[in-house]
Amino acid sequence: MKDSPGEPGGMAQFLERRTKDTALMQDRAVQALVGALQERVGGEIFAVLMYGSYLRGVRDTLLDFYVVVEDYRSALGPIAGAAAFLMPPNVYYLSLVEEGRELRAKYAVVSRSQLQRQAGAVHPYFWARLAQPCQVVYVKDAAARRRLSLVLAACVRTFIKRVAPALQGWVGAESFFDTGFARTYRAELRAESPAKVQSIFRHDVDYYSNLLKLAADEGLLQRRERDEDQPIYAPTSFTGSTRNACYWGGTIGLGKLLSVLRLVKAAATFNDPIDYLLWKIERHSGVTVEASARQRRYPLIFAWPLAWRLYRLGAFR
């Protein structure tokens, strides 16, 4: 029977269907990297999620994965596991050659229990990413897929509940998500331009439009039919704007600090972190700078002037 958006669990059911892309299961690059992840990460893997620009058709890029594990200690060891527990996730770099082609990936390791908690966290690091389209490229079993879909649904609901009070009246789906992504991207050190952020919605209009319809059916939003194909939405109450402004102001400030701390931590787990960051910044912002050999070798000690220079040039916000 076809799922009805208004039924309990409709959001999770929709996401379970949308995260099954059979084409990715036949993509040799994706499957080669998933196999390498299974060999590299110790312990039992609950699921591997793929997200990011590769799903939007970009091929000259690193592939982005979340590796969801049952236990940090068995997956990463005691020291790295403790770091992941204190500030999830741990981010690593993976490179391999498959059929004469170099494949590169960035993967974040997070435990299943911590991912569940982060789905409703104050800071949007996890729920803003996982509210966007992602694909399950490995999952332990059918029960694990259902549990993962519930976590993804919780991320979407958190995104909608945090963004809705920031709306100025009734808006369409594009304005809703443009507002949401603008705020969640500001809550980190990101190199993407405003135009790049605004393009996210247009890559998968049907996906985002369905999320809002499902949210309205669950009572998270008000909905009106402006015309047959373009409903408009508003928060369930227009009160609390001051509280919402305080929330986003505090979250954006906290997010900048957390971004710096995550970069420091990633410097210990990433191969050539300075070159990767400069490549990504140039790709997204167009700002090009060169790092010295000393900055590449000792990024935590000597790269701070480089970071300040990039900030002054507008490479990230």
Side-chain angles (χ1 to χ4, degrees):
M1 182 177 69
K2 185 177 180 180
D3 295 328
S4 168
E7 292 176 356
M11 182 81 76
Q13 292 165 3
F14 169 75
L15 291 168
E16 185 171 346
R17 292 194 302 269
R18 281 298 307 258
T19 55
K20 294 179 180 178
D21 187 338
T22 56
L24 281 179
M25 303 308 293
Q26 300 171 0
D27 186 309
R28 291 190 176 183
V30 172
Q31 292 309 307
L33 288 165
V34 170
L37 289 172
Q38 290 173 313
E39 292 179 3
R40 177 176 285 199
V41 178
E44 185 176 16
I45 295 179
F46 180 78
V48 179
L49 285 141
M50 185 177 177
Y51 68 101
S53 58
Y54 194 87
L55 297 181
R56 298 192 290 268
V58 180
R59 291 297 178 262
D60 59 333
T61 186
L62 278 80
L63 280 70
D64 292 293
F65 296 98
Y66 271 116
V67 181
V68 186
V69 299
E70 294 287 359
D71 175 70
Y72 279 134
R73 186 181 181 89
S74 60
L76 301 175
I79 297 176
F85 177 79
L86 292 172
M87 184 182 291
N90 276 14
V91 181
Y92 300 91
Y93 174 76
L94 171 65
S95 175
L96 58 88
V97 176
E98 176 73 12
E99 298 181 349
R101 173 188 173 194
E102 184 181 12
L103 305 176
R104 299 177 299 157
K106 173 169 62 71
Y107 66 97
V109 179
V110 62
S111 72
R112 176 165 64 94
S113 60
Q114 204 155 38
L115 184 62
Q116 289 173 333
R117 291 194 295 272
Q118 291 293 327
V122 170
H123 191 266
Y125 182 93
F126 283 93
W127 50 259
R129 284 170 171 79
L130 295 179
Q132 299 178 44
C134 60
Q135 293 295 327
V136 180
V137 291
Y138 168 82
V139 67
K140 185 171 68 172
D141 52 37
R145 180 180 287 277
R146 288 192 293 272
R147 289 196 293 271
L148 185 61
S149 298
L150 292 172
V151 174
L152 296 178
C155 290
V156 171
R157 292 188 183 101
T158 300
F159 184 101
I160 289 170
K161 287 188 287 188
R162 299 283 167 76
V163 172
L167 301 179
Q168 301 297 318
W170 293 81
V171 300
E174 183 170 7
S175 294
F176 185 99
F177 282 100
D178 282 353
T179 298
F181 292 138
R183 294 196 175 223
T184 56
Y185 271 61
R186 282 185 64 201
E188 297 182 49
L189 293 176
R190 303 297 295 256
E192 287 82 357
S193 67
K196 177 73 173 179
V197 175
Q198 291 172 1
S199 72
I200 296 174
F201 172 86
R202 292 188 287 276
H203 279 287
D204 203 333
V205 174
D206 288 343
Y207 171 83
Y208 292 113
S209 298
N210 274 301
L211 292 185
L212 291 191
K213 291 176 183 177
L214 288 159
D217 288 341
E218 292 183 4
L220 299 179
L221 294 168
Q222 298 183 73
R223 176 182 174 184
R224 288 181 183 170
E225 298 296 332
R226 182 168 57 188
D227 57 48
E228 184 177 352
D229 297 320
Q230 293 185 320
I232 54 177
Y233 300 90
T236 54
S237 171
F238 286 98
T239 61
S241 58
T242 302
R243 179 180 178 184
N244 183 256
C246 291
Y247 163 74
W248 281 109
T251 298
I252 288 168
L254 172 65
K256 303 298 187 186
L257 174 60
L258 290 175
S259 292
V260 172
L261 294 176
R262 284 191 170 102
L263 285 173
V264 171
K265 190 175 72 162
T269 61
F270 228 76
N271 297 332
D272 302 319
I274 293 297
D275 288 331
Y276 163 72
L277 288 172
L278 294 179
W279 168 81
K280 185 169 184 177
I281 286 169
E282 180 181 1
R283 179 184 181 85
H284 289 291
S285 70
V287 176
T288 303
V289 299
E290 288 292 330
S292 68
R294 186 170 62 173
Q295 288 170 333
R296 288 188 172 94
R297 187 173 183 182
Y298 305 106
L300 293 181
I301 301 173
F302 297 111
W304 298 107
L306 184 65
W308 176 245
R309 182 183 172 195
L310 287 165
Y311 178 76
R312 292 288 301 273
L313 291 171
F316 53 84
R317 297 170 294 118

